[in-house]
Amino acid sequence: MSPSLAAESSSRPGQASVSGLMAEIAGTGTDPARGGYTRPVFSTAERDLRTWFIDQAQRRALAVETDANGIIWAWWDVPGTAPGSARENAIVTGSHLDSVPGGGAFDGPLGIASALVAVDILRARGQVPRRPLAIAVFPEEEGSRFGVACLGSRLLTGAISPERALRLRDPDGNTLADVAAANGQDPERFGPDPGRLASIGQFVELHVEQGRGLIDLARPVAIGSSILGHGRWRLRITGQGNHAGTTLIQDRRDPMVAAAACVLAVRAVALRFRNARATVGRLVPVPGGTNVIASAVDLWFDVRHPEDAVTAAVVENIRQEARLAAAGEGCDMELTEESLSPTTHFDAGLRTALQDVLPEAPVLDTGAGHDAGVLAAHVPTAMLFVRNPTGVSHSPEEHVEDADAETGAAALADVLASLG
Ligand code: GLV
Ligand code: MN
Ligand code: MN
């Protein structure tokens, strides 16, 4: 970053606070039934947040564009560059605005609000970028609507084919193609964008910490080292739908009973492998009536482990247990991998650069997935984590103290300044 030109700093809003920006969106996507926030991609709530972000970016005179994959980019261009000229070696920060069902306020939006405030801080310091700087908002990071996490960054990088992505369905049966088209995106244009990817010099994502690392270390901000390998699988168990009153227990082929055994098997298998995590967080009976023996059950499980071979072994063990459980109930089963991300180690050089800027910040790994993990396979990538005093995430109890949020944004500003 270099000292400001007078024209750069005139007629802009003053410096916002992260807590102030978070307060502006606190009423968007609240979920009275589950608690917390439910902001699936392309829902009214997520669309409102995208509109809010675009407004915030435009108030800061950032040049906003939504790319072919629905990723929003808000550019602070190098002063003096001609409008429309190619952006190269850009510094990109950002995160996501979608949430898990009943999620917390900070997972995603903290990174976006902090990025906006970081721009304000740099401007207040009179700094301007020597390289293009962008805030990116990635759609469907959580995969809570279409099942595949980090869908926007996967499409951008080619980690998922547009053909497969566009066929993904939400719980109501709508395809991504239809939902995207209804939201002004051209499904024909979805897919890898090597030119845009090549224009990113470095990517830095700030995120609420989703565990207890910073609590234990009594520090407000950490630098990310790696993301645990993780994947999602869908298990469909098919039996015989029937009447709850007229069907004798011994005559049933009840997939719910097999599914219950599978839930227990997922945990039992995970316990056999050191450091493995396996979770059943979603189970949907078909058709789902109190007096109906289900005809099928869909059960999704998430497995995480530092070694991809161990993740594969955990899944294979679960598959065998599920086959036995289904057969014991006279049911069939089918297991489908929905997504898989290997363990990601962030760029060592960039991490060292961040450590030089933030010498007090500890270096922590994370068990949570992020768009930064997808981008890391293509561009030097780093993460900053901000302390979450509850240590709880993907839950309404997720929290960040105001002072830590501002410290995080200042740390991000320092990092962006050092890179630019
Ligand atoms: C997203 O937060 C994930 O880790 O699944
Ligand atoms: Mn999340
Ligand atoms: Mn997140």
Coordinates of all heavy atoms in Angstrom, one line a residue, residues 102-137:
G102 N -30.2 -22.9 11.2 CA -30.1 -22.5 12.6 C -28.6 -22.2 13.1 O -28.2 -22.6 14.2
G103 N -27.9 -21.6 12.2 CA -26.5 -21.3 12.5 C -26.3 -20.0 13.3 O -27.2 -19.4 13.7
G104 N -25.0 -19.7 13.6 CA -24.7 -18.5 14.3 C -24.6 -17.3 13.4 O -24.7 -17.4 12.2
A105 N -24.4 -16.2 14.0 CA -24.3 -14.9 13.3 C -23.0 -14.7 12.5 O -23.0 -13.9 11.6 CB -24.6 -13.8 14.3
F106 N -22.0 -15.4 13.0 CA -20.6 -14.9 12.6 C -20.0 -15.8 11.5 O -19.1 -15.3 10.8 CB -19.7 -14.9 13.8 CG -20.2 -13.9 14.9 CD1 -21.1 -14.4 15.9 CD2 -19.8 -12.6 14.8 CE1 -21.5 -13.5 16.8 CE2 -20.3 -11.7 15.8 CZ -21.2 -12.1 16.8
D107 N -20.4 -17.0 11.4 CA -19.7 -18.0 10.4 C -20.0 -17.4 9.0 O -21.1 -17.6 8.5 CB -20.3 -19.4 10.6 CG -19.8 -20.4 9.7 OD1 -19.0 -20.0 8.8 OD2 -20.1 -21.6 9.9
G108 N -19.1 -16.8 8.4 CA -19.2 -16.2 7.1 C -19.3 -14.7 7.2 O -18.3 -14.0 6.8
P109 N -20.4 -14.1 7.7 CA -20.6 -12.7 7.7 C -19.4 -11.9 8.4 O -19.1 -10.8 8.1 CB -21.9 -12.4 8.4 CG -22.7 -13.7 8.0 CD -21.7 -14.8 8.0
L110 N -18.8 -12.6 9.4 CA -17.7 -11.9 10.1 C -16.6 -11.5 9.1 O -16.0 -10.4 9.2 CB -17.2 -12.7 11.3 CG -16.1 -12.0 12.1 CD1 -16.7 -10.8 12.9 CD2 -15.3 -12.9 13.0
G111 N -16.3 -12.5 8.2 CA -15.2 -12.2 7.3 C -15.6 -11.1 6.3 O -14.7 -10.4 5.8
I112 N -16.9 -11.0 6.0 CA -17.3 -10.0 5.0 C -17.3 -8.6 5.7 O -16.8 -7.7 5.1 CB -18.8 -10.4 4.5 CG1 -18.8 -11.7 3.8 CG2 -19.3 -9.2 3.6 CD1 -17.9 -11.8 2.6
A113 N -17.9 -8.6 6.9 CA -17.9 -7.3 7.6 C -16.5 -6.8 7.9 O -16.2 -5.6 7.8 CB -18.8 -7.4 8.9
S114 N -15.7 -7.8 8.3 CA -14.3 -7.4 8.6 C -13.5 -6.9 7.4 O -12.7 -5.9 7.5 CB -13.5 -8.6 9.2 OG -14.2 -9.0 10.4
A115 N -13.8 -7.4 6.2 CA -13.2 -7.0 5.0 C -13.6 -5.6 4.7 O -12.8 -4.7 4.3 CB -13.5 -7.9 3.9
L116 N -14.9 -5.3 4.8 CA -15.4 -3.9 4.6 C -14.7 -2.9 5.5 O -14.3 -1.8 5.1 CB -16.9 -3.8 4.7 CG -17.7 -4.6 3.7 CD1 -19.2 -4.8 4.1 CD2 -17.7 -3.8 2.3
V117 N -14.6 -3.3 6.8 CA -14.0 -2.4 7.8 C -12.5 -2.3 7.5 O -11.9 -1.2 7.7 CB -14.3 -2.9 9.2 CG1 -13.4 -2.2 10.2 CG2 -15.8 -2.8 9.5
A118 N -11.9 -3.4 7.1 CA -10.4 -3.3 6.7 C -10.2 -2.3 5.6 O -9.2 -1.5 5.7 CB -9.9 -4.7 6.3
V119 N -11.1 -2.2 4.7 CA -11.0 -1.2 3.6 C -11.1 0.2 4.2 O -10.3 1.1 3.9 CB -12.0 -1.4 2.5 CG1 -12.2 -0.2 1.6 CG2 -11.7 -2.7 1.7
D120 N -12.0 0.4 5.1 CA -12.2 1.7 5.8 C -10.9 2.0 6.6 O -10.5 3.2 6.6 CB -13.4 1.6 6.8 CG -14.7 1.5 6.1 OD1 -14.8 1.7 4.9 OD2 -15.7 1.2 6.8
I121 N -10.4 1.0 7.3 CA -9.2 1.3 8.1 C -8.0 1.8 7.2 O -7.3 2.7 7.5 CB -8.8 0.0 8.9 CG1 -9.8 -0.3 10.0 CG2 -7.4 0.2 9.5 CD1 -9.6 -1.6 10.7
L122 N -7.8 1.1 6.1 CA -6.7 1.4 5.2 C -6.9 2.8 4.6 O -6.0 3.6 4.5 CB -6.7 0.4 4.0 CG -6.3 -1.0 4.5 CD1 -6.4 -2.0 3.3 CD2 -4.9 -1.0 5.1
R123 N -8.2 3.1 4.3 CA -8.5 4.5 3.8 C -8.2 5.5 4.9 O -7.7 6.6 4.6 CB -9.9 4.5 3.3 CG -10.0 3.8 1.9 CD -11.2 4.3 1.2 NE -11.2 3.7 -0.2 CZ -12.3 3.1 -0.7 NH1 -13.4 3.0 0.0 NH2 -12.2 2.7 -2.0
A124 N -8.7 5.2 6.1 CA -8.5 6.2 7.2 C -7.0 6.4 7.4 O -6.6 7.5 7.9 CB -9.2 5.7 8.5
R125 N -6.2 5.4 7.2 CA -4.8 5.6 7.3 C -4.2 6.3 6.1 O -2.9 6.5 6.1 CB -4.1 4.2 7.4 CG -4.3 3.5 8.7 CD -3.5 2.2 8.7 NE -3.9 1.3 9.7 CZ -3.6 0.0 9.7 NH1 -3.0 -0.6 8.6 NH2 -4.0 -0.8 10.7
G126 N -5.0 6.5 5.1 CA -4.5 7.2 3.9 C -3.7 6.3 3.0 O -2.9 6.7 2.2
Q127 N -4.0 5.0 3.1 CA -3.3 4.1 2.2 C -4.2 3.7 1.0 O -5.4 3.7 1.0 CB -3.0 2.8 3.0 CG -2.0 3.1 4.1 CD -1.6 1.8 4.9 OE1 -2.5 1.3 5.5 NE2 -0.4 1.4 4.8
V128 N -3.5 3.5 -0.1 CA -4.2 3.0 -1.4 C -3.4 1.8 -1.9 O -2.2 1.7 -1.7 CB -4.3 4.1 -2.4 CG1 -5.2 5.2 -2.0 CG2 -2.9 4.7 -2.8
P129 N -4.1 0.9 -2.6 CA -3.5 -0.3 -3.0 C -2.6 -0.1 -4.2 O -2.9 0.7 -5.1 CB -4.6 -1.2 -3.4 CG -5.8 -0.3 -3.6 CD -5.6 0.9 -2.9
R130 N -1.5 -0.8 -4.2 CA -0.6 -0.8 -5.4 C -1.0 -1.9 -6.3 O -0.5 -2.0 -7.4 CB 0.9 -1.0 -5.0 CG 1.5 0.1 -4.2 CD 3.0 0.0 -4.3 NE 3.6 1.0 -3.3 CZ 3.9 0.7 -2.1 NH1 3.7 -0.4 -1.6 NH2 4.4 1.7 -1.3
R131 N -1.8 -2.9 -5.7 CA -2.3 -4.0 -6.5 C -3.8 -4.0 -6.3 O -4.3 -3.5 -5.3 CB -1.7 -5.3 -6.0 CG -0.2 -5.4 -6.1 CD 0.3 -6.5 -5.2 NE -0.4 -7.8 -5.4 CZ -0.3 -8.8 -4.5 NH1 0.4 -8.7 -3.4 NH2 -1.0 -9.9 -4.7
P132 N -4.6 -4.4 -7.3 CA -6.1 -4.5 -7.1 C -6.4 -5.3 -5.9 O -5.8 -6.3 -5.6 CB -6.6 -5.2 -8.4 CG -5.4 -5.2 -9.3 CD -4.2 -5.0 -8.6
L133 N -7.4 -4.8 -5.1 CA -7.8 -5.5 -3.9 C -9.3 -5.7 -4.0 O -10.1 -4.9 -4.4 CB -7.5 -4.6 -2.7 CG -7.6 -5.2 -1.3 CD1 -6.7 -4.5 -0.3 CD2 -9.0 -5.2 -0.8
A134 N -9.7 -7.0 -3.7 CA -11.1 -7.3 -3.8 C -11.6 -8.0 -2.6 O -10.9 -8.7 -1.9 CB -11.4 -8.2 -5.0
I135 N -12.9 -7.7 -2.3 CA -13.7 -8.5 -1.3 C -14.6 -9.5 -2.1 O -15.3 -9.0 -3.0 CB -14.6 -7.6 -0.4 CG1 -13.7 -6.5 0.2 CG2 -15.3 -8.5 0.6 CD1 -14.5 -5.5 1.0
A136 N -14.4 -10.8 -1.9 CA -15.3 -11.7 -2.6 C -16.3 -12.4 -1.6 O -16.0 -12.7 -0.5 CB -14.4 -12.8 -3.2
V137 N -17.5 -12.5 -2.1 CA -18.6 -13.2 -1.4 C -18.9 -14.5 -2.1 O -19.4 -14.5 -3.3 CB -19.8 -12.3 -1.3 CG1 -20.9 -13.1 -0.5 CG2 -19.5 -11.0 -0.6

